[in-house]
Amino acid sequence: MKTKFNWGTGLAIGMILFVSFILFLVTTMLTSAKYEHDLVTEDYYAAELHYQNDIDAEQNLQLLPSPAILEKNREGLKFHFPSGMNPEKIEGRISLYRPSNKQLDFSYQFRQPENAEIVIPAKLLQPGRWNLIVFWNYEGKEFLYKKELVY
């Protein structure tokens, strides 16, 4: 017996193949480590509550007579605090976030930086995009420097 291949059979086979392809793509995207999608910070909503403090700290930085300077070179990154600030009165935190891989993120506290600058060695920085955040307190006032950079 000879079966006929008509348009209804072709349409059904085409729909089954299309749905199978879509299911394959969805499964691959959800299970593959290659397509990880991480949040910039783990405590996103808690960080959002402190947003006004960050805005005020950024405005404090803009009101200073001299700017903070970020210098990129082969040795790494060098952050210079605004001139006129006594390094003995500076304390804060520096954080580098890698949007594509949270395992590369790091953060550390500093106090009285030598020569009013912080150096981040190149060995800690993989090539690619980074979000740098420097938050510090000087004489009771908070300052915040944010920069997106490619190293």
Side-chain angles (χ1 to χ4, degrees):
M1 175 175 359
K2 200 173 187 185
T3 58
K4 262 185 151 177
F5 185 80
N6 60 24
W7 66 271
T9 307
L11 186 61
I13 291 172
M15 287 176 63
I16 290 170
L17 289 174
F18 179 73
V19 169
S20 299
F21 175 70
I22 296 298
L23 288 174
F24 169 76
L25 284 179
V26 168
T27 305
T28 302
M29 292 295 288
L30 292 176
T31 59
S32 177
K34 181 179 174 185
Y35 301 110
E36 284 293 323
H37 303 292
D38 297 322
L39 291 174
V40 174
T41 61
E42 287 295 322
D43 299 324
Y44 176 78
Y45 295 107
E48 193 67 25
L49 295 174
H50 301 288
Y51 192 63
Q52 185 60 46
N53 294 344
D54 291 351
I55 291 172
D56 294 341
E58 282 182 288
Q59 287 176 346
N60 288 341
L61 181 62
Q62 292 173 358
L63 295 174
L64 291 174
S66 65
I69 299 171
L70 182 66
E71 180 184 330
K72 180 171 72 167
N73 55 36
R74 283 185 297 188
E75 289 80 35
L77 293 174
K78 190 182 286 189
F79 179 79
H80 301 273
F81 289 93
S83 62
M85 285 192 169
N86 181 357
E88 294 177 1
K89 296 180 181 180
I90 298 173
E91 61 180 64
R93 180 183 73 252
I94 187 165
S95 304
L96 276 116
Y97 297 105
R98 182 68 182 258
S100 62
N101 186 350
K102 72 178 179 180
Q103 280 76 27
L104 297 176
D105 295 353
F106 62 93
S107 180
Y108 67 88
Q109 304 280 43
F110 59 85
R111 185 179 194 126
Q112 301 176 350
E114 191 175 318
N115 300 326
E117 63 187 29
I118 297 176
V119 178
I120 301 149
K123 66 182 179 179
L124 297 175
L125 301 168
Q126 299 269 333
R129 184 173 173 268
W130 290 90
N131 293 343
L132 171 77
I133 298 173
V134 184
F135 181 84
W136 74 95
N137 191 315
Y138 180 75
E139 295 182 338
K141 224 175 189 182
E142 295 178 336
F143 298 92
L144 178 65
Y145 178 89
K146 288 183 178 182
K147 177 95 172 166
E148 292 179 4
L149 61 112
V150 176
Y151 186 78

